[in-house]
Amino acid sequence: MKGFAIASWVCLALGLTGGAVAQSIGGPSAIKLPPPQVPAPQVAPAPKGGVGLTIADGKYALALATAEAALQKDPGNLDQMTVKILALLGLGRGMEALRMAVPLAGQHPERPQIRYLAGKAAFDQGMIPQAVQVWSALYSCPDAEWAVRAYRASAQAQLSIGKEAEARKLIEEALSRWPATTQTLARLALEVAPGTAGASQIIGKVIASNPTNKDDWEALGQMVASASGDLFEEASAGDKPLVIPIKEKSERVNIPTFMEGDKYATNVTLSSGSRVTVPVSVGGKKQWMLLDSGANLVLLTSNYARELGLKPVATAEYLGLGYEGAKKSNWVMIPLIKVGDLEFKNVPAMIIDKDSDFWKELGGILPLSMFRHHAVLYDRRHEKLTLYSPGTKAEAVMGDKLYPQKSLWFYGKPFVMAQINDRQNLPCLMDTGADSTYIAAEFAQDLGIAVNTGKYKSEYSRGLSGGFLSGTADQVDMQLGGARFPLKQVMVTELGQGYPIPCYGLIGRNIIDNFMVFFDYASNALVLKAYDR
C-alpha cells in the first residue's frame, strides 16, 4: 500500500481558492475546480520605504514605466531597479527580468530580495535547477523572512519536477530552524506530509498560534481526523500495466428562456460538451465521473453523495470564476473508492453545489492527479487509460514520432511551456476537462493579442460560481514542443493567477484530442503523439 501526501486540497480547505473556468462555446459545460492561492506570491513585496507602491496594487505596466523614467535620471538606483524587475515579472516578461536580476544579485549580496527575484525569474522560465541554486545562497541569510522564502520557493520548485523527497528535505530543514511553524511553511509541509499523524501535528501547531483563520485550520484538522488511515492510500497495482476504460459522455438539460406571467413560455435544450469519463464505484454503487487534469481534488454531486450516504466532516467554501462568488459547501471522506480495478482509501471530496447544471448523469469530477504515482497513458480515441510504473519511457509505450514537452507540475496538475505567437516558455495548463483552449486575458495585451475584433460578440460560458463572459481573438499561433497549431479563433478570459508561475492559458480538448498523451509526474515527463488522421 502507498499513500498520498495531503496535496492540493489543503489549500482549498483553508479557503485559498482562485478563479477557474469551465468552458463551452454556446453554452455551459463541465464545472472546473479553481486553482489554489498559493502562499508564495507571484512576485515578492515591493522594496521598503514606500517605493514601488504600484507593484502592490498589481499595476505592473505603470510601475515599469515609472521605474524606467526614474532610472534615466538615476541609473544606479537599486530601489528602482528592483521595482523594474518586479514589474517585468508581473507582466510575465521573465527572461528580461532574469537578464537584469542575475548580475545585480552578484553585485549586491546585501540585497537578498534581488537574489530571490533572480531565482523567481529563472523559475518562471522553467529553469528549475538554476532557480534552486540561486535561492540556496539565501538559506543562511540573516534576514529570516528571505531565508524562509528561499526554502519555500526551492521546495515548491522541486515539487514542480516531481522531486518530492528533495522538497520534503528542504521543508524539514526549514521547520527545524523555525519550529514555530508559520502558516506558509505549514501549508507546504502538508503537501509533503508522510501521513495523517504528521499532518495532525503540523495543523495543531498552527492552531495553537491562534491565527486569524483558525476556523479554517480547525476544519482541516477535522478532515484529517475523519480518515481511518493515510489519505489516498492506494492498493498496489503491481508491475503490470493496469488498463482503466474511459468513455465520452455528455448531458442535456432544459433551460427556461423567459416567463410569461407565472408560467415558462419556452424552454431550450442545452448540451454539455463531450466529457471524458472513468468508471468509479463506492460502496458497490457505480457511476461515471469526469476525468480532469485541471482539477485539484474529487468533487461529488450532491445526488451521488446522498446515494452513498456520506456525511459532512467539515464545512468549506469554494470560489470559482462566475458571477455568484463564493459558495458554501461540505467536505466528506470517502472510505474506499474504486477506479476501474484500482482502489484508494480515505479520499477527501467536496460536494458540488446542489443547483449545478449538467450533473444529472455523472457523479462528479475525478482529478488526473489521483494517479500521480504512476506513469499514465491517456488515450481518448481508443477509450483507455493505462497506468505504468513511474519512470517508464514514453518511447516504450507510444513508439516514435513523439512530441516531448517541457513540463512543470503544480498540485499534481501538468503545465507545458508553450510558445504563443513569437513568445516562448509560456506556462499553460494542460486541461483535459476544458472543451476549448483559452488565453489568459491578464497577458493578452503583452502578447499582442487583440480581443473581440468586431467580428464576434463575447461568448457566454459557465464556471464553478456561475456564468462569465469571454472574448474571442483571431489568428493566434501556438506551438507545443514542435507541434504547431494556427488557431483561427481562440477564447480569451481572465483565468486567475493562483499558481507559483504565471498561467498564460489552458490547453483544451480542441488541441488535446488530436493526441495520445503520456503523463509521468515522478519523472517530469509529458509527451504527445498525434493520432493518425
Side-chain angles (χ1 to χ4, degrees):
M1 306 289 284
K2 55 185 177 182
F4 257 124
I6 304 297
S8 61
W9 68 271
V10 167
C11 294
L12 292 162
L14 295 174
L16 305 173
T17 50
V21 299
Q23 48 277 6
S24 174
I25 298 177
S29 180
I31 293 176
K32 305 283 294 108
L33 194 71
Q37 292 289 353
V38 294
Q42 185 172 314
V43 294
K48 297 177 181 179
V51 181
L53 293 179
T54 51
I55 291 290
D57 295 332
K59 300 176 181 177
Y60 301 118
L62 177 59
L64 179 61
T66 303
E68 288 180 335
L71 288 170
Q72 287 183 349
K73 299 177 181 178
D74 184 8
N77 190 312
L78 287 176
D79 284 342
Q80 294 297 344
M81 290 181 184
T82 305
V83 171
K84 182 175 179 178
I85 296 168
L86 285 161
L88 289 170
L89 286 171
L91 291 169
R93 293 160 62 176
M95 185 55 69
E96 295 174 64
L98 183 65
R99 290 169 179 158
M100 183 176 179
V102 168
L104 279 177
Q107 296 163 12
H108 297 279
E110 78 283 2
R111 290 271 186 149
Q113 184 182 25
I114 295 177
R115 177 169 287 276
Y116 178 86
L117 294 176
K120 181 70 172 71
F123 180 69
D124 285 0
Q125 294 298 302
M127 301 164 64
I128 305 304
Q130 295 90 334
V132 173
Q133 182 180 15
V134 170
W135 283 324
S136 66
L138 292 175
Y139 298 165
S140 58
C141 179
D143 187 334
E145 176 187 355
W146 291 108
V148 171
R149 282 180 180 272
Y151 269 111
R152 188 181 65 224
S154 296
Q156 183 70 75
Q158 297 287 21
L159 285 173
S160 74
I161 54 175
K163 295 187 175 181
E164 292 188 353
E166 289 84 346
R168 184 177 296 111
K169 181 179 178 180
L170 286 166
I171 292 301
E172 288 173 351
E173 288 179 6
L175 289 174
S176 69
R177 293 183 59 185
W178 297 281
T181 313
T182 65
Q183 286 196 54
T184 52
L185 275 178
R187 288 170 184 149
L188 192 52
L190 289 175
E191 287 199 50
V192 296
T196 52
S200 296
Q201 185 178 20
I202 293 168
I203 294 167
K205 287 184 177 180
V206 176
I207 293 173
S209 69
N210 198 30
T212 55
N213 60 341
K214 185 177 180 179
D215 290 347
D216 294 328
W217 284 95
E218 289 177 340
L220 183 59
Q222 293 167 10
M223 172 66 76
V224 173
S226 70
S228 60
D230 290 343
L231 300 182
F232 298 97
E233 190 176 350
E234 179 184 332
S236 175
D239 296 329
K240 295 182 179 179
L242 178 64
V243 179
I244 299 173
I246 59 178
K247 182 185 296 185
E248 293 195 59
K249 297 174 69 70
S250 61
E251 294 181 277
R252 292 178 178 271
V253 66
N254 292 322
I255 302 293
T257 55
F258 68 92
M259 292 185 69
E260 184 175 328
D262 59 350
K263 296 181 180 179
Y264 288 116
T266 60
N267 289 278
V268 295
T269 300
L270 297 179
S271 175
S272 71
S274 173
R275 296 162 171 169
V276 175
T277 64
V278 290
V280 303
S281 176
V282 179
K285 298 182 183 299
K286 298 179 180 181
Q287 187 57 278
W288 289 85
M289 295 179 67
L290 167 67
L291 179 65
D292 191 352
S293 64
N296 291 300
L297 81 167
V298 178
L299 286 173
L300 295 180
T301 65
S302 55
N303 289 338
Y304 192 33
R306 190 181 305 111
E307 182 182 354
L308 298 173
L310 298 175
K311 303 299 183 183
V313 297
T315 58
E317 188 176 78
Y318 61 81
L319 176 65
L321 189 65
Y323 53 76
E324 294 179 8
K327 291 185 177 182
K328 293 287 186 181
S329 186
N330 290 302
W331 293 92
V332 295
M333 183 64 70
I334 304 175
L336 175 68
I337 182 171
K338 290 188 66 176
V339 186
D341 292 328
L342 191 62
E343 294 184 351
F344 297 91
K345 293 181 180 179
N346 302 310
V347 177
M350 181 185 284
I351 305 301
I352 301 175
D353 182 82
K354 61 183 177 62
D355 296 323
S356 299
D357 291 330
F358 296 117
W359 296 101
K360 313 300 182 188
E361 300 175 21
L362 298 180
I365 296 176
L366 197 77
L368 186 68
S369 60
M370 288 275 287
F371 310 107
R372 64 191 283 182
H373 287 153
H374 305 269
V376 179
L377 179 63
Y378 171 87
D379 188 355
R380 178 196 61 87
R381 183 174 292 185
H382 298 103
E383 298 186 327
K384 61 182 179 180
L385 191 77
T386 308
L387 308 183
Y388 299 87
S389 299
T392 299
K393 299 298 183 182
E395 294 83 355
V397 174
M398 305 167 76
D400 58 1
K401 298 181 181 179
L402 306 182
Y403 294 96
Q405 305 297 309
K406 187 176 181 181
S407 60
L408 296 173
W409 306 72
F410 300 104
Y411 318 108
K413 295 190 285 188
F415 286 73
V416 293
M417 307 300 282
Q419 177 174 325
I420 300 177
N421 291 340
D422 59 350
R423 288 276 298 277
Q424 299 179 346
N425 288 329
L426 305 180
C428 295
L429 174 62
M430 182 73 71
D431 193 346
T432 62
D435 291 345
S436 302
T437 294
Y438 274 70
I439 300 295
E442 295 92 326
F443 303 113
Q445 182 176 0
D446 191 58
L447 293 172
I449 295 174
V451 182
N452 288 335
T453 62
K455 294 182 181 179
Y456 314 101
K457 296 180 179 179
S458 293
E459 301 285 349
Y460 179 83
S461 302
R462 187 171 181 84
L464 194 60
S465 293
F468 66 95
L469 293 176
S470 56
T472 308
D474 291 336
Q475 306 301 331
V476 175
D477 187 82
M478 180 172 286
Q479 294 189 48
L480 303 176
R484 180 172 176 265
F485 301 90
L487 303 173
K488 293 183 179 180
Q489 298 175 25
V490 65
M491 308 296 286
V492 181
T493 195
E494 290 189 7
L495 298 179
Q497 296 299 316
Y499 299 100
I501 54 173
C503 178
Y504 282 82
L506 305 179
I507 309 299
R509 287 189 53 201
N510 60 325
I511 288 179
I512 295 174
D513 283 359
N514 295 293
F515 300 94
M516 286 188 287
V517 189
F518 183 79
F519 301 94
D520 187 356
Y521 164 71
S523 299
N524 188 28
L526 198 159
V527 183
L528 307 178
K529 179 169 183 173
Y531 287 118
D532 294 332
R533 296 185 182 276

